[in-house]
Amino acid sequence: MSSTEALSLPKIPRNLVVVGGGYIGVELGQMFARFGTKVTILEGGEQILPGFESELVSPVVRQLKEDEITLIT
């Protein structure tokens, strides 16, 4: 399902796997996590938010972990 379709779900899922740790995937993951969904973000690269410097990514990773989002890179 695309990000647009994810925003159109008729009800909030219990679990969600987001394929891709770019900014859209991270935003969707955070949104659903704050609605109570158990979220896992899968990223094929070494870090989420590929293309961004690791110093900028670190605070985002910290927040995602605080939101109990599982990150797999």
Side-chain angles (χ1 to χ4, degrees), residues 9-70:
L9 291 173
K11 63 181 187 176
I12 304 298
R14 282 190 207 162
N15 300 292
L16 180 69
V17 175
V18 178
V19 179
Y23 65 91
I24 293 173
V26 169
E27 286 179 339
L28 282 174
Q30 278 191 307
M31 179 193 71
F32 278 104
R34 291 184 180 173
F35 287 142
T37 300
K38 172 71 176 135
V39 175
T40 300
I41 298 176
L42 303 176
E43 170 54 47
E46 294 181 18
Q47 69 176 23
I48 62 163
L49 301 173
F52 289 88
E53 295 177 20
S54 60
E55 295 81 20
L56 299 174
V57 175
S58 295
V60 176
V61 169
R62 204 169 23 253
Q63 182 61 53
L64 293 174
K65 289 181 179 182
E66 286 179 19
D67 292 340
E68 299 182 6
I69 295 173
T70 302

